[in-house]
Amino acid sequence: MGKLLETIESPVLTDVKLSFEGVEPAEVYPQRLPDLFLRQPLLIFGRISQGRKGTVHLTARAGDQPFETSIPFDASTASFHPGITTLWARQRVEDLMDRWREADEGARAGIRASLIVHAIRYHLVTRFTSLVAVEEVVANVGGESQTVPVPTELPAGMQMEKVFGAPATGTADAFLEFLGVILLLIGLAMSVALQQLTRKAEVAS
């Protein structure tokens, strides 16, 4: 954190301005150029509408002293990558969002519409747009419908035996049936024992 604060408090260049010679740039972002800090690059994104070879003139202030330099470039010899277009498009989204936040309610609708059109064109996720992945797979090539049983749970409050006339499992009924047989056998045994006691009592008398 200390190194970060030290870097922020000591910019190398301030009040940075750019001008182009030999080419016509269009939509350069960020439009408000930030300060240049130590060990951090100053990234500028833009489109060249006319020309390929030119010079970038940079003017700034290094402390209390003016600073100026020129950087020649030749875009015709540079290699292109599609990611460069995406980086520029994202920078334009950030600029439009800054304008949207600072605008009043009457101007926000137009900025929002421009941002949506731009984001859709370059396939960007923004506050007002999102991406939806669509996979086109034909699952039923023949086009014929089929009936497939799908197990589902009963709704709350419903009982299996009342809906289908049979219990879901036989565990509870089997236990009760077994318990009934045991009680019946105990009852018969007690009945036989009682009859024997009765006979013995009659003989003794």
Side-chain angles (χ1 to χ4, degrees):
M1 184 59 70
K3 291 182 180 180
L4 176 61
L5 293 176
E6 182 181 358
T7 301
I8 295 176
E9 292 175 352
S10 305
V12 177
L13 296 177
T14 59
D15 194 19
V16 180
K17 293 182 176 60
L18 295 179
S19 60
F20 296 84
E21 180 181 351
V23 296
E24 290 292 335
E27 298 178 307
V28 178
Y29 300 104
Q31 294 185 351
R32 299 177 182 177
L33 299 183
D35 296 334
L36 176 63
F37 297 96
L38 184 64
R39 293 184 296 273
Q40 293 186 6
L42 178 60
L43 300 178
I44 307 298
F45 301 89
R47 298 189 302 110
I48 299 177
S49 59
Q50 293 182 3
R52 288 291 181 269
K53 196 172 183 180
T55 304
V56 179
H57 298 287
L58 183 147
T59 59
R61 296 193 65 83
D64 296 333
Q65 302 297 323
F67 177 84
E68 182 177 353
T69 187
S70 297
I71 306 171
F73 66 90
D74 186 357
S76 61
T77 61
S79 59
F80 175 76
H81 190 277
I84 298 176
T85 303
T86 303
L87 292 175
W88 169 83
R90 291 185 183 277
Q91 287 294 320
R92 187 167 189 267
V93 167
E94 293 184 7
D95 182 78
L96 289 172
M97 284 302 305
D98 290 340
R99 290 168 51 190
W100 182 84
R101 295 187 188 97
E102 297 173 355
D104 54 17
E105 292 297 330
R108 279 188 171 186
I111 299 174
R112 181 178 182 274
S114 299
L115 194 151
I116 291 175
V117 172
H118 174 77
I120 292 176
R121 179 180 180 184
Y122 293 98
H123 309 286
L124 300 178
V125 176
T126 68
R127 178 170 180 173
F128 309 115
T129 59
S130 61
L131 297 180
V132 178
V134 179
E135 183 180 4
E136 296 183 359
V137 178
V138 180
N140 187 1
V141 181
E144 299 179 358
S145 60
Q146 298 180 358
T147 302
V148 179
V150 179
T152 59
E153 296 290 340
L154 284 177
M158 299 187 68
Q159 299 180 4
M160 180 72 71
E161 60 273 13
K162 292 183 178 181
V163 176
F164 299 101
T169 61
T171 304
D173 284 356
F175 173 75
L176 294 176
E177 183 179 353
F178 176 75
L179 181 61
V181 172
I182 295 297
L183 293 176
L184 180 60
L185 292 177
I186 293 175
L188 291 175
M190 292 179 65
S191 178
V192 172
L194 183 60
Q195 289 178 2
Q196 290 179 356
L197 290 174
T198 302
R199 289 176 183 177
K200 289 181 180 181
E202 291 176 353
V203 171
S205 60

